[in-house]
Amino acid sequence: MIFKLRCMCFAACTLFISASSISAPVPASSIAPLELRIAVVSDGRADYFVRLLEESLKLIQQPYHIQYVKDIPARRMWWMLGRGDINLFYGMQSKEKDNDKQLVPVRNALTNGLIGQRVLLIRRSDTDAFLPVRSVGDLKHTGLIAGFGAGWGDARVWKSAGLPLYEHAAPWNTIYAMVTAGNRHVDYLPRGVIEVLAEARAHPELAVEPRLLLEYPADFGFYLSPSVAHYRPIIERALQAAEASGLKARLIDEAYGADIKALNLNRRLRLRLPAAPD
């Protein structure tokens, strides 16, 4: 009987030790850091996305090192990502990117859909031209031409809706001057609610159209190089933790809350567009 009790005590102690070792958190110092080379632009547009990544990794106590590669043209960045010259970049999510063998999509919508809510950046003299618009059909009948960078997924949305558009193959930032000129094949720029006021401040010759809000399903996502595909579950877990804890919502509000409030989205006429076709 005594022998049996001793065996039972030994087994219970062994079980307790095993369970403790499983549930005990692994010290951050013993976790291999993520070695990240991230493409960013120095105008501040990437600040929220980098901060979300860093704060999310800190939340789950995942060490990391980041090397920044700055101001490379977007198309070259995607090429560099496929080659492994950089190993993380953010951009509009699409089936095309998700199915590209040279890219590893991180499954998380980084702005909670805000980039798919579009306000128009227009010439100041054209404000009245948008007053008759009450529907997508009305916008089409104005004949006004939207401007996009060549190959942008947003352009497919406009094409699918039958809206006139122009795709600009030259450096993207020259398109603001084209809108201002009024004779260069583009009349307005549909910009996300998280970016339009910053761009209006940078281009005071243009104005934010005050009435309309065009909506369609879209968001940014992180993409990894195949060489670090094993980082994906770690980053996804970090971003999920950021959502569950409220961290992501707080960072969105800190980065964009004031501008979104200033746009008075609830008072705008919402025009719904279909998602970009596959």
Side-chain angles (χ1 to χ4, degrees), residues 209-222:
E209 196 283 326
R211 294 180 50 254
L212 303 176
L213 178 65
L214 282 73
E215 296 182 303
Y216 54 96
D219 214 325
F220 285 118
F222 287 129

Side-chain angles (χ1 to χ4, degrees), residues 102-255:
Q102 298 302 310
L103 303 175
V104 178
V106 175
R107 293 177 291 258
N108 191 279
L110 299 181
T111 73
N112 292 344
L114 287 173
I115 198 62
Q117 298 186 48
R118 296 279 164 151
V119 171
L120 310 182
L121 202 56
I122 65 174
R123 288 185 288 273
R124 293 186 178 279
S125 59
D126 279 354
T127 301
D128 290 348
F130 291 89
L131 288 177
V133 175
R134 295 288 185 275
S135 67
V136 175
D138 289 343
L139 182 58
K140 178 179 178 179
H141 291 143
T142 65
L144 296 168
I145 300 172
F148 300 96
W152 286 11
D154 315 74
R156 295 200 299 272
V157 174
W158 256 245
K159 287 177 184 176
S160 181
L163 294 168
L165 73 151
Y166 168 77
E167 293 186 79
H168 190 49
W172 159 244
N173 56 7
T174 61
I175 203 167
Y176 298 101
M178 294 174 68
V179 177
T180 303
N183 59 355
R184 300 289 301 280
H185 312 297
V186 58
D187 299 303
Y188 68 94
L189 305 177
R191 307 303 292 151
V193 296
I194 63 173
E195 58 195 1
V196 66
L197 285 183
E199 294 181 10
R201 288 189 288 268
H203 299 277
E205 70 279 9
L206 298 175
V208 175
E209 196 283 326
R211 294 180 50 254
L212 303 176
L213 178 65
L214 282 73
E215 296 182 303
Y216 54 96
D219 214 325
F220 285 118
F222 287 129
Y223 288 86
L224 296 167
S225 168
S227 62
V228 292
H230 56 291
Y231 288 178
R232 179 166 76 173
I234 299 171
I235 295 175
E236 286 179 347
R237 180 165 62 89
L239 294 171
Q240 289 163 5
E243 288 183 345
S245 67
L247 170 65
K248 183 179 181 183
R250 177 173 63 81
L251 295 179
I252 287 175
D253 185 63
E254 289 176 3

